[in-house]
Amino acid sequence: MKINWGTSIVIAFGLFMSFILYFVFKVQSDSKYDNELVVEKYYQKELTFEKQMEKEQNAHDMTEIVVIQSAENGVTIAFPKEFDITKIKGKVSFYRPSNKKLDFEIPISLSNPHLLIPKSNLVGGRWDISVDWSYEGKEYLSKETIYTN
């Protein structure tokens, strides 16, 4: 049987479409390729965006800013020394872009101006850290991206 060039092109297109559909179905059905949103309740989070920008501006306008840095024994967050640490309230959020299951939050409870998050709580890689805190009714938000080993 002889196949002409028109039939060969149709067969090639059919095989190519089958190849692509196979991978589309494989990615959609396999939990290894989880397609989840970056943020759950995306639209509700968007409504609070203006408040978040105001908090970030408050943090930026401070004379001494919150310093978030990676240390040998974990991640340290240093609050301004000019503030009374007993009046600082808030939370520290750790967001892992590659795996939602590793995200966690820690309430801020200070006995000195430094907060240490132990290395044992952190898997190596990229972490987006947000420090959402308030002092005497004024709210602040500091963000930093840290890479741990």
Side-chain angles (χ1 to χ4, degrees):
M1 180 171 142
K2 188 173 180 182
I3 300 176
N4 65 18
W5 64 272
T7 306
S8 299
I9 289 175
V10 170
I11 291 172
F13 276 137
L15 290 174
F16 178 72
M17 288 190 315
S18 299
F19 173 76
I20 296 298
L21 287 174
Y22 167 75
F23 281 107
V24 167
F25 287 123
K26 182 176 180 177
V27 167
Q28 293 299 322
S29 63
D30 194 349
S31 64
K32 182 173 127 182
Y33 305 107
D34 199 5
N35 298 319
E36 47 189 49
L37 293 173
V38 174
V39 178
E40 286 297 324
K41 305 181 183 172
Y42 175 78
Y43 293 107
Q44 289 178 355
K45 181 114 175 141
E46 188 65 29
L47 293 173
T48 63
F49 185 70
E50 189 173 323
K51 180 75 171 165
Q52 180 180 348
M53 293 302 292
E54 183 180 315
K55 289 179 183 181
E56 286 184 39
Q57 188 62 44
N58 288 345
H60 186 269
D61 293 342
M62 293 174 29
T63 55
E64 189 179 347
I65 62 170
V66 172
V67 178
I68 305 167
Q69 60 187 13
S70 182
E72 188 175 310
N73 52 353
V75 172
T76 59
I77 301 169
F79 289 90
K81 294 177 179 119
E82 63 193 47
F83 292 153
D84 179 9
I85 58 172
T86 60
K87 295 180 182 178
I88 296 175
K89 304 290 181 224
K91 65 182 177 181
V92 180
S93 302
F94 286 80
Y95 169 71
R96 182 65 182 242
S98 62
N99 189 348
K100 175 179 146 182
K101 295 175 182 112
L102 295 175
D103 296 352
F104 64 97
E105 289 184 351
I106 297 175
I108 296 174
S109 177
L110 299 172
S111 58
N112 63 31
H114 300 285
L115 178 65
L116 174 68
I117 291 77
K119 195 173 193 175
S120 61
N121 293 358
L122 304 170
V123 176
R126 176 183 170 175
W127 289 95
D128 291 337
I129 304 171
S130 297
V131 182
D132 190 355
W133 58 288
S134 64
Y135 181 77
E136 293 182 341
K138 193 167 184 179
E139 296 180 330
Y140 304 91
L141 179 64
S142 302
K143 294 181 178 184
E144 189 73 40
T145 299
I146 296 288
Y147 294 90
T148 60
N149 298 341

